[in-house]
């Protein structure tokens, strides 16, 4: 009730000219719509907890973003600085705060990347072992590095296969060592 009263009071006047207040008004409108929709829907406990978690996560991401941008806003509001001092302050802030345009994107892409890297690592290991185990034509076995006997030894192809296996194992380890 109080939310509807606040929304009606803000809608009666002119829209605020402050972009931050405009965002708050838009969020309040959407929250009111969401509350109305939730009151009309029949949602079970499992789905309601899932939706609550999503909403809480969105607010946490928003707060984290605001926290990251706060030093830049403070620098922008300091009117006593010359252009050179502003530039030095901005350079210092950019060096201290590492972020990019993906600051608000969901973090689901890393899961897909890890899955693809896992499959690629397993394929490299399998192909490397297959190259060692399966017989190769004599034209493929270019040069024998070490002879075990007159008919068998370690060839260049075996060494390349070992490098492929090592690459697959390295990719596997690096993939799961991060995060």
């Amino acid at each position: 009730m109080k939310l509807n009263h606040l929304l009606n009071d803000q809608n009666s006047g002119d829209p605020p000219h402050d972009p931050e207040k405009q965002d708050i008004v838009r969020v309040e409108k959407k929250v009111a719509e969401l509350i109305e929709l939730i009151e009309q829907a029949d949602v079970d406990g499992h789905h309601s907890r899932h939706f609550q978690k999503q909403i809480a996560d969105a607010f946490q991401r928003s707060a984290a973003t605001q926290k990251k941008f706060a030093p830049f806003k403070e620098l922008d509001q300091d009117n006593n600085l010359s252009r050179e001092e502003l530039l030095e302050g901005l350079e210092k802030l950019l060096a201290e705060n590492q972020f990019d345009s993906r600051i608000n994107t969901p973090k689901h892409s890393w899961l897909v990347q890890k899955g693809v890297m896992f499959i690629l690592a397993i394929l490299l290991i399998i192909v490397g072992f297959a190259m060692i185990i399966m017989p190769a034509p004599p034209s493929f076995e270019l040069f024998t590095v070490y002879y075990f006997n007159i008919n068998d030894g370690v060839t260049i192809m075996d060494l390349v296969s070992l490098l492929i296996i090592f690459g697959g194992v390295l990719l596997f380890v690096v993939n799961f060592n991060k995060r």
Side-chain angles (χ1 to χ4, degrees), residues 13-14 16 23 28 40 43 45 63 71 75-76 90 108 114-115 127-128 133:
D14 292 332
D23 287 343
E28 286 177 346
Q40 295 173 358
V43 181
L75 180 68
D76 186 39
L90 181 63
H108 301 295
K114 288 213 178 277
V127 166
I133 294 171

Side-chain angles (χ1 to χ4, degrees), residues 19 24 34 51 69 104 117 158:
I24 292 173
L34 180 64
F51 294 144
F69 286 134
N104 284 329
M117 296 297 272
D158 294 332

Side-chain angles (χ1 to χ4, degrees), residues 103 125 146:
I103 198 166
I125 292 169
Y146 179 77

Side-chain angles (χ1 to χ4, degrees), residues 37-53:
L37 184 64
I38 290 172
E39 289 173 348
Q40 295 173 358
D42 184 27
V43 181
D44 63 347
H46 173 71
H47 283 98
S48 67
R49 283 190 297 276
H50 176 70
F51 294 144
Q52 285 175 348
K53 184 178 180 338

Side-chain angles (χ1 to χ4, degrees), residues 6-35:
L6 288 173
L7 286 177
N8 290 336
D9 287 346
Q10 288 184 354
N11 288 340
S12 62
D14 292 332
H17 297 290
D18 186 15
E20 191 172 305
K21 289 182 182 179
Q22 287 177 350
D23 287 343
I24 292 173
V25 170
R26 282 195 348 241
V27 169
E28 286 177 346
K29 287 179 184 179
K30 294 298 179 181
V31 166
E33 290 176 20
L34 180 64
I35 290 171

Side-chain angles (χ1 to χ4, degrees), residues 72 89-99:
F72 293 96
L90 181 63
E91 182 180 1
K92 180 182 174 192
L93 285 174
L94 287 174
E96 291 174 356
N97 300 300
Q98 299 295 323
F99 61 90

